[in-house]
Amino acid sequence: MRQVDLVPDTRANSSPDWGALMAAAQGGDASAYRRLLGQIQPWLRRYYARRLPPSMVDDAVQDLMLVVHEKRHTYDPARPFEPWLAAIARYKWIDRLRAMKAAPTHTLDEDIAVADHEASVTSAYMLEKLLDLLKPPQALVIRLVKLQGFSIEEAASRSGQTASLVKVNIHRGLSRLGALVRSRSDVG
Amino acid sequence: MSDEPLIDRLAHELTPVSRRTALGDALVIGGIGLVELLLFLVLGGTRPDMPEAMGHAGFWWKLVSLGSIALTSCAVALLSLDPVRSPRRGLRLVLALVLLCLAAGWPIGAVLDGWPSLLNRLDWRSGVQCVFKMVLLSIPPVLGLGVLVQRGAPTDRNGTAWIAGLAAASWGAFVFVFACPIDDPLYIAVWYLVGCGAVSLLTRLALPLLTRW
């Protein structure tokens, strides 16, 4: 196993005495504790980033900070803090690997259950075919008003027809569509 | 994801803690063991021929053997509650000690003269009773060690569970030595191993589940 990062290298930090901070935290010094957690967090992030999938790193870091909090009474200030932290981080890492093994991921089935859109697609296709059989001004205003939801006035300005002509074309077009549907058992 | 809210919360919830030390834990488990032993002796659990038994080498052999195994394994178990310490070397040491104790008992009285004699010496009815009593006497130290394991931070849960089970089992057997009327090393080797093995195995199976952290 690589030795890199097995034990935090506190020489790289501006405030290296994590042991003293933890000793103060054991006595109830909240500001020392806040500093300690803030300083160990980047190391923990690097530690887990090298050992876990990226999606699990945040959870692992937060979990470890909770464990450090819960087990802080087991740290002996007479001994270095870094091996204590590294041992706990390694333990939780192995625990996480065991959990991953116990809950294996499943490959997605090719036949994913999704809603069947066949009827909608068929209806849209048939409607388009029927609209193609109408006169273009009738088909245009039916698309604008009945399918796209524009008002009569908006459809009139977009189609260049008067409002009353839009109403007439819609009425005639729908009547023609009804007649087409009744007369043909299969369109297209 | 920012960890600042969590850090703030943990710092806000911070309270002073009393540090865990191996010596403090030793005093706790030692107290439990001592109280159990004293209660056992005071309540009349000792064998009726105790003065005579104290003249036999077999009595002292099992007393010293089980006492040394109990003390050693308890020390290893307590040290393994520190996250930076593994109990594996200690387990090997205790295993060697068990073998050494068995070897020391051999010249004391394990002279075999055929299978019928062997079966008589094993005396399975008494053996089963001994195992049952040893298991009962192991319960207080198992519970005590379980609480200490929960409070500690063992990073080798299975190893710690094995050694804690062995410590409790050998202490239970040590206390039972004062009641057991049989000093035959062969009987002791077989039935005490069965009793201690059962307690160790049960502890190994249960403790990691109950003391997960």
Side-chain angles (χ1 to χ4, degrees):
Chain A
M1 187 185 288
R2 292 175 60 192
Q3 293 299 305
V4 178
D5 263 0
L6 280 182
V7 173
D9 182 7
T10 55
R11 287 170 300 185
N13 285 289
S14 55
S15 183
D17 201 356
W18 290 353
L21 291 176
M22 182 51 121
Q26 286 176 329
D29 184 340
S31 66
Y33 193 47
R34 196 186 303 270
R35 273 181 65 201
L36 175 70
L37 293 178
Q39 288 181 14
I40 64 172
Q41 185 240 22
W43 181 82
L44 292 176
R45 198 165 287 284
R46 283 199 306 276
Y47 183 91
Y48 286 123
R50 293 183 181 186
R51 291 164 175 82
L52 291 171
S55 60
M56 296 178 75
V57 171
D58 284 332
D59 272 355
V61 170
Q62 296 204 346
D63 185 31
L64 200 90
M65 287 208 266
L66 289 170
V67 169
V68 165
H69 183 74
E70 191 185 324
K71 295 292 179 184
R72 64 190 186 278
H73 63 277
T74 66
Y75 170 64
D76 177 3
R79 300 191 2 230
F81 176 81
E82 293 78 12
W84 180 85
L85 179 65
I88 290 179
R90 183 174 181 279
Y91 168 75
K92 294 307 286 183
W93 168 56
I94 292 172
D95 215 28
R96 210 162 265 272
L97 291 182
R98 285 200 186 111
M100 283 167 69
K101 191 179 172 187
T105 54
H106 295 285
T107 52
L108 286 174
D109 197 341
E110 297 267 335
D111 303 326
I112 302 169
V114 292
D116 183 5
H117 299 301
E118 185 183 355
S120 305
V121 171
T122 306
S123 299
Y125 175 77
M126 289 177 66
L127 184 60
E128 281 301 315
K129 296 284 282 183
L130 287 169
L131 288 172
D132 286 346
L133 298 175
L134 300 180
K135 292 177 182 172
Q138 292 175 350
L140 176 62
V141 292
I142 287 175
R143 282 195 181 95
L144 287 171
V145 176
K146 296 298 180 185
L147 300 182
Q148 297 174 17
F150 289 104
S151 64
I152 298 291
E153 288 72 23
E154 288 168 335
S157 68
R158 283 173 178 256
S159 64
Q161 303 173 24
T162 62
S164 55
L165 184 56
V166 168
K167 289 178 188 171
V168 169
N169 275 333
I170 289 174
H171 177 72
R172 289 181 178 169
L174 290 177
S175 300
R176 172 92 177 119
L177 282 177
L180 285 169
V181 169
R182 280 190 296 274
S183 65
R184 297 182 178 209
S185 59
D186 183 18
V187 179
Chain B
M1 190 197 300
S2 171
D3 297 322
E4 285 305 314
L6 176 65
I7 292 174
D8 286 343
R9 183 168 71 81
L10 295 179
H12 181 70
E13 290 173 0
L14 187 72
T15 52
V17 288
S18 58
R19 291 180 192 125
R20 178 212 162 258
T21 62
L23 183 62
D25 285 356
L27 289 175
V28 170
I29 197 67
I32 291 172
L34 206 60
V35 168
E36 182 189 22
L37 178 62
L38 289 176
L39 280 176
F40 187 76
L41 297 177
V42 168
L43 295 177
T46 54
R47 57 197 281 182
D49 61 339
M50 180 60 90
E52 189 187 336
M54 290 174 73
H56 294 162
F59 173 80
W60 291 107
W61 166 71
K62 61 181 180 180
L63 195 71
V64 171
S65 298
L66 288 164
S68 57
I69 293 168
L71 290 178
T72 310
S73 49
C74 192
V76 173
L78 295 182
L79 288 175
S80 78
L81 302 187
D82 185 332
V84 297
R85 292 199 171 156
S86 166
R88 297 287 160 171
R89 280 179 63 190
L91 267 170
R92 286 194 287 273
L93 175 71
V94 171
L95 188 62
L97 185 60
V98 170
L99 294 174
L100 183 69
C101 291
L102 290 173
W106 186 262
I108 293 175
V111 182
L112 304 178
D113 53 351
W115 284 105
S117 169
L118 183 71
L119 291 175
N120 287 338
R121 289 170 67 189
L122 284 179
D123 188 6
W124 70 270
R125 284 188 182 82
S126 302
V128 171
Q129 284 181 27
C130 284
V131 167
F132 179 69
K133 289 172 184 171
M134 267 186 279
V135 171
L136 285 184
L137 289 168
S138 300
I139 291 174
V142 161
L143 294 178
L145 282 168
V147 171
L148 294 178
V149 170
Q150 178 64 45
R151 181 171 150 76
T155 46
D156 182 351
R157 280 204 309 258
N158 295 342
T160 297
W162 270 123
I163 197 71
L166 190 56
S170 50
W171 181 258
F174 174 79
V175 174
F176 183 64
V177 163
F178 294 97
C180 181
I182 302 171
D183 297 323
D184 182 351
L186 180 68
Y187 178 92
I188 305 298
V190 171
W191 291 112
Y192 280 47
L193 271 182
V194 170
C196 290
V199 172
S200 302
L201 183 63
L202 289 174
T203 309
R204 160 64 187 84
L205 294 175
L207 201 59
L209 300 176
L210 298 174
T211 58
R212 193 180 176 85
W213 60 281

